[in-house]
Amino acid sequence: MQTIAERLKTAQDSIDAATTAVNRPTNSVKLLAVSKTKPVSDIKLAYEYGQRLFGENYIQEGVEKVTELAELSDIEWHMIGPIQSNKTKDVANHFDWVQSVDRLKIARRLNDQRPTHKAPLNICIQVNVEAEASKSGVALNELDALVAEVESLPNLTLRGLMAIPAPDVSDAQQRQTLSTLKQTFDRLAVNRSQFDTLSVGMSNDMQLAIAHGSTMVRIGTAIFGARTKKQVNE
Ligand SMILES: *Cc1c(COP(=O)(O)O)cnc(C)c1O
């Protein structure tokens, strides 16, 4: 049985190897440790090893952890799960980043509810490149309008794009999706100095995502072990 520290090292080594393999600078890809459903004791172990970026999916659970670990003030907390509009206040109050913004209503509420004594909330817009009706994420043909609107909100800082490409597709399809995403990211990054984050890639598609310009991979199971199915539906 490996420890969390050992698994973190393995994950970091894989990121470094994948980054070097495509001649990208070391440390150009960040590791987001996805700690959903895992106890704060696990987060503390990862923190002691040096991990600082953590991702949570469920708002109630995330808020409890952020509150409980408030003394570890250099943790950067990322919300990566779906957000209902009646939960935006908790997110705006407790998180540093929200990667799962895919509609204006949510962005507006996060902006309005962000405490003014805090730094602006960092935002990634979640895009749905494959345009599957069932998935969250804004369609590509609606992205530019949402970008313009998010940019106009003073308590939000638009940092980039997030995507969860469909896992069960052919290699060619996966590459196609990732290159569309990268092209879109590069196009939007022009003249936007803070637009620096392309959050794509999980355990199974990390190498390919890094080859296609990912700047942040999101890894849960490979660090914290398997999750039991979450029962609560927020
Ligand atoms: C759960 C989750 C992850 C991590 O998934 P693992 O399979 O545990 O590595 C990454 N991104 C999002 C959006 C998730 O919900």
Side-chain angles (χ1 to χ4, degrees), residues 62-90:
V63 166
E64 282 167 21
K65 289 175 178 173
V66 174
T67 308
E68 205 168 326
L69 294 172
E71 79 275 16
L72 306 181
S73 58
D74 57 345
I75 289 186
E76 195 177 275
W77 292 102
H78 293 240
M79 173 49 61
I80 60 174
I83 301 168
Q84 282 91 14
S85 55
N86 63 344
K87 299 278 178 64
T88 48
K89 190 166 186 191
D90 279 339

Side-chain angles (χ1 to χ4, degrees), residues 34 36 57 80 162 164 202-203 218-221 227:
V34 179
K36 61 184 178 201
N57 278 60
I80 60 174
M162 186 272 257
I164 311 173
M202 298 166 50
S203 314
R218 309 179 305 264
I219 297 184
T221 310
R227 292 179 293 272

Side-chain angles (χ1 to χ4, degrees), residues 80-83 99-104 106 124-144 146 160-165 181 199 218:
I80 60 174
I83 301 168
Q99 298 197 9
S100 42
V101 171
D102 64 359
R103 55 194 198 276
L104 179 59
I106 298 296
C124 289
I125 294 179
Q126 184 175 350
V127 290
N128 180 355
V129 179
E130 296 115 332
E132 283 173 43
S134 61
K135 280 204 315 183
S136 22
V138 65
L140 282 180
N141 62 1
E142 293 165 7
L143 174 61
D144 285 30
L146 185 56
L161 304 177
M162 186 272 257
I164 311 173
L181 197 58
S199 172
R218 309 179 305 264

Side-chain angles (χ1 to χ4, degrees), residues 97-114:
W97 285 65
V98 183
Q99 298 197 9
S100 42
V101 171
D102 64 359
R103 55 194 198 276
L104 179 59
K105 182 181 182 190
I106 298 296
R108 280 212 182 111
R109 291 179 64 91
L110 291 171
N111 177 73
D112 295 348
Q113 294 167 336
R114 180 67 169 173

Side-chain angles (χ1 to χ4, degrees), residues 47-213:
Y47 181 90
E48 281 163 22
Y49 179 75
Q51 180 65 30
R52 291 295 179 270
L53 275 55
F54 292 90
E56 289 286 335
N57 278 60
Y58 309 103
I59 294 169
Q60 193 56 47
E61 176 193 334
V63 166
E64 282 167 21
K65 289 175 178 173
V66 174
T67 308
E68 205 168 326
L69 294 172
E71 79 275 16
L72 306 181
S73 58
D74 57 345
I75 289 186
E76 195 177 275
W77 292 102
H78 293 240
M79 173 49 61
I80 60 174
I83 301 168
Q84 282 91 14
S85 55
N86 63 344
K87 299 278 178 64
T88 48
K89 190 166 186 191
D90 279 339
V91 178
N93 269 303
H94 292 92
F95 282 80
D96 303 300
W97 285 65
V98 183
Q99 298 197 9
S100 42
V101 171
D102 64 359
R103 55 194 198 276
L104 179 59
K105 182 181 182 190
I106 298 296
R108 280 212 182 111
R109 291 179 64 91
L110 291 171
N111 177 73
D112 295 348
Q113 294 167 336
R114 180 67 169 173
T116 44
H117 67 272
K118 292 199 172 190
L121 192 55
N122 296 291
I123 300 292
C124 289
I125 294 179
Q126 184 175 350
V127 290
N128 180 355
V129 179
E130 296 115 332
E132 283 173 43
S134 61
K135 280 204 315 183
S136 22
V138 65
L140 282 180
N141 62 1
E142 293 165 7
L143 174 61
D144 285 30
L146 185 56
V147 163
E149 283 156 342
V150 169
E151 261 178 336
S152 74
L153 298 169
N155 300 323
L156 307 183
T157 300
L158 181 62
R159 298 297 301 269
L161 304 177
M162 186 272 257
I164 311 173
D168 314 316
V169 296
S170 68
D171 200 52
Q173 180 60 60
Q174 206 175 7
R175 286 172 190 274
Q176 179 61 55
T177 299
L178 288 168
S179 47
T180 302
L181 197 58
K182 171 65 170 158
Q183 282 164 23
T184 306
F185 174 75
D186 286 345
R187 177 176 63 77
L188 290 169
V190 173
N191 295 328
R192 288 187 172 95
S193 59
Q194 298 188 91
F195 196 91
D196 58 3
T197 302
L198 179 56
S199 172
V200 63
M202 298 166 50
S203 314
N204 54 345
D205 60 353
M206 192 175 81
Q207 273 81 9
L208 210 51
I210 290 174
H212 289 83

